[in-house]
């Protein structure tokens, strides 16, 4: 009985000290981590929509949310409006689609003014290094720039797949095609 | 003093965690794709192992044997979380490159093994020496693997182009089998050298 209490007591002390020290470290780093994340997002937004100066996360209306849920090949995580001072230029979509090694998170800029995709960026992926991981390369992503809802935006039709990485290429194409298909509803709402 | 030097050397060669004990291989396979990530992983391991060895050694007399494992795990995971948070705040690119493999240091059997087999039974001075020796031995080998993999897999070192542009990179080196192959070669070389020295 006595040893049981002693065990519990020592374990509790160790855990308390550990929790306290982690609380301190968290306090010291939390603000900075938050700042970094915001800065990174800001940078990614700017990269896919160079003309815009200001981005605002939009509230997704219930009707739009319902429509977004029906999408099959990809998921829209976030939508931002892109502004140049007061003028609205278009939208930036953060999407998720299934690649070969896991999920691919993309940032896609679409200019409603010019009715075309203006930029793409891969935020996260776990594709095979050397094959699918090349979806990050500008040479591949450039193919999507300038596409509109009138284009098929499909691998082997107007998009050239990466050698040995058809699934990864298709995942990017699916998200990009999806964005061009829902843009009207998004800008209408 | 001699005792400390000997203990340090053990981790470097005689009981090198990767080549002799063959523990803690998971991050070695996953992270040794580039020199930069290899060294960062090595640094994180050295920090976690040294700090946890110090604490484990300091409290070795008051830790009841029945609950020592959970206590070691709490200590190790505390230091790993500290590394993770600090890297996220101050070295975001490295933190992204290492990803899940930083939190996974918690379950690295090399650190647990040193806490259990060494630090929990030895005075602080020796425990630190042992942790440093093992950590440096680990870092040295993971960097040596990273060197070959980055050089032949990407044609680069520290992300700087070494081989001419036309170099067709060896995909095999970037994938896990490349790491296995190189670890195997290194184990063979070290065993050969040690046998030569003995005879």
């Amino acid at each position: 009985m006595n040893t049981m209490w002693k065990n519990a007591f020592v374990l509790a002390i160790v855990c308390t000290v550990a929790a306290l020290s982690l609380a301190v470290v968290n306090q010291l780093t939390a603000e900075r981590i938050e700042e970094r994340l915001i800065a990174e997002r800001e940078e990614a937004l700017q990269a896919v929509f160079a003309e815009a100066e200001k981005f605002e996360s939009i509230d997704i209306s219930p009707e739009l949310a319902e429509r977004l849920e029906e999408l099959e090949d990809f998921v829209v995580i976030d939508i931002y409006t892109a502004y140049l001072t007061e003028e609205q230029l278009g939208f930036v979509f953060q999407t998720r689609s299934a690649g070969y090694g896991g999920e691919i998170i993309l940032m896609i800029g679409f200019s409603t003014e010019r009715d075309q995709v203006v930029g793409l960026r891969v935020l996260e992926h776990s594709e095979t290094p050397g094959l699918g991981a090349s979806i990050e390369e500008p040479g591949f992503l450039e193919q999507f720039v300038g596409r509109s809802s009138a284009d098929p935006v499909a691998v082997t039709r107007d998009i050239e797949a990466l050698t040995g990485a058809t699934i990864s290429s298709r995942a990017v194409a699916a998200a990009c095609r999806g964005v061009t298909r829902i843009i009207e509803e998004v800008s209408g709402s | 003093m001699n005792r400390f030097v000997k203990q340090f050397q053990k981790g470097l060669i005689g009981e090198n965690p990767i080549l002799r004990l063959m523990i803690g291989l998971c991050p070695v396979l996953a992270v040794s794709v580039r020199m930069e990530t290899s060294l960062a992983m090595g640094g994180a391991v050295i920090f976690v192992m040294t700090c946890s060895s110090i604490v484990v050694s300091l409290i070795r007399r008051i830790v009841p044997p029945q609950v020592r494992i959970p206590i070691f795990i709490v200590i190790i995971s505390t230091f790993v979380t500290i590394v993770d948070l600090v890297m996220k705040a101050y070295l975001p690119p490295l933190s992204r490159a290492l990803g899940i493999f930083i939190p996974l240091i918690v379950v690295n059997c090399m650190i647990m093994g040193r806490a259990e087999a060494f630090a929990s039974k030895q005075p602080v001075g020796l425990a630190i020496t042992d942790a440093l020796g093992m950590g440096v031995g680990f870092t040295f080998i993971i960097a040596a693997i990273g060197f070959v993999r980055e050089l032949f897999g990407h044609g680069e070192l520290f992300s700087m182009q070494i081989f001419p542009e036309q170099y067709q990179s060896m995909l095999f080196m970037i994938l896990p089998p490349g790491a296995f192959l190189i670890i195997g070669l290194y184990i063979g070389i070290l065993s050969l050298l040690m046998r030569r020295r003995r005879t």
Side-chain angles (χ1 to χ4, degrees):
Chain A
M1 196 61 201
N2 221 347
T3 49
M4 201 182 89
W5 285 112
K6 197 196 159 202
N7 289 352
F9 181 72
V10 175
L11 195 51
I13 296 278
V14 170
C15 290
T16 314
V17 174
L20 281 177
S21 40
L22 282 183
V24 172
V25 176
N26 185 39
Q27 196 69 42
L28 293 175
T29 52
E31 201 177 320
R32 212 175 155 114
I33 293 174
E34 182 72 13
E35 274 169 27
R36 290 270 173 173
L37 288 178
I38 293 172
E40 268 169 34
R41 197 181 58 207
E42 209 49 45
E43 199 225 311
L45 286 167
Q46 201 65 61
V48 298
F49 213 130
E51 296 162 88
E53 276 179 348
K54 202 173 72 182
F55 300 92
E56 263 170 35
S57 184
I58 66 166
D59 294 322
I60 297 174
S61 67
E63 303 94 67
L64 184 57
E66 214 169 279
R67 174 75 181 96
L68 291 178
E69 262 171 40
E70 288 166 16
L71 299 168
E72 274 171 13
D73 313 347
F74 78 117
V75 178
V76 173
I77 307 171
D78 250 326
I79 307 178
Y80 302 88
T81 356
Y83 293 101
L84 181 67
T85 53
E86 288 312 304
E87 186 191 357
Q88 187 181 324
L89 295 178
F91 297 92
V92 176
F93 294 79
Q94 193 173 334
T95 66
R96 187 171 68 211
S97 46
Y100 180 73
E103 289 172 342
I104 299 176
I105 312 274
L106 286 171
M107 199 83 117
I108 304 171
F110 193 99
S111 165
T112 41
E113 198 189 32
R114 288 196 275 152
D115 189 32
Q116 54 177 243
V117 173
V118 287
L120 279 91
R121 189 168 201 188
V122 181
L123 297 186
E124 272 173 52
H125 74 83
S126 35
E127 303 305 290
T128 321
L131 291 172
S134 308
I135 52 168
E136 285 183 306
E137 278 169 19
F140 172 71
L141 291 176
E142 266 166 18
Q143 302 183 75
F144 295 94
V145 175
R147 302 286 161 193
S148 73
S149 49
D151 292 308
V153 204
V155 168
T156 70
R157 294 190 62 188
D158 57 347
I159 301 294
E160 205 176 311
L162 291 161
T163 316
T166 319
I167 297 177
S168 315
S169 312
R170 276 199 187 130
V172 177
C176 193
R177 177 175 57 244
V179 164
T180 64
R181 301 299 186 259
I182 56 166
I183 190 71
E184 243 172 66
E185 287 155 79
V186 174
S187 53
S189 72
Chain B
M1 204 58 228
N2 199 11
R3 221 158 41 117
F4 288 95
V5 175
K6 248 185 161 167
Q7 192 57 44
F8 185 75
Q9 277 179 346
K10 251 193 199 167
L12 288 190
I13 304 161
E15 285 181 22
N16 185 287
I18 302 177
L19 299 187
R20 302 296 294 177
L21 307 181
M22 279 178 256
I23 50 177
L25 290 183
C26 161
V28 177
L29 295 178
V31 166
S32 64
V33 188
R34 284 185 180 271
M35 284 293 274
E36 213 182 359
T37 49
S38 299
L39 289 174
M41 185 45 122
V45 165
I46 292 178
F47 174 81
V48 172
M49 190 143 62
T50 311
C51 294
S52 52
S53 283
I54 292 173
V55 177
V56 166
S57 173
L58 279 176
I59 62 170
R60 70 184 187 280
R61 284 185 217 289
I62 54 165
V63 171
Q66 298 92 330
V67 289
R68 64 182 199 287
I69 301 290
I71 287 179
F72 296 163
I73 293 174
V74 169
I75 293 168
I76 294 168
S77 51
T78 305
F79 286 115
V80 170
T81 312
I82 290 174
V83 171
D84 193 30
L85 287 174
V86 170
M87 276 182 99
K88 270 195 186 127
Y90 296 97
L91 302 162
L94 265 184
S95 165
R96 205 169 325 131
L98 291 173
I100 187 67
F101 292 100
I102 287 294
L104 275 183
I105 298 176
V106 174
V107 289
N108 191 318
C109 53
M110 176 175 51
I111 295 167
M112 194 66 200
R114 290 336 279 175
E116 165 77 1
F118 199 87
S120 63
K121 298 183 181 98
Q122 302 287 342
V124 179
L126 268 182
I128 295 178
T129 322
D130 175 69
L132 283 176
M134 287 286 163
V136 173
F138 173 85
T139 308
F140 181 68
I141 299 302
I142 193 177
I145 298 167
F147 178 85
V148 177
R149 290 183 79 187
E150 181 167 4
L151 188 62
F152 292 102
H154 293 280
E156 300 173 350
L157 278 180
F158 290 104
S159 304
M160 277 182 308
Q161 199 78 34
I162 299 288
F163 288 160
E165 286 283 344
Q166 304 91 309
Y167 174 70
Q168 188 71 40
S169 52
M170 290 168 70
L171 180 62
F172 173 72
M173 280 297 176
I174 309 171
L175 299 174
F180 275 118
L181 184 84
I182 298 163
I183 293 175
L185 282 176
Y186 285 166
I187 292 173
I189 293 170
L190 185 64
S191 300
L192 195 70
L193 289 178
M194 289 188 75
R195 198 178 306 162
R196 282 251 173 90
R197 219 176 55 173
R198 225 175 290 142
T199 52

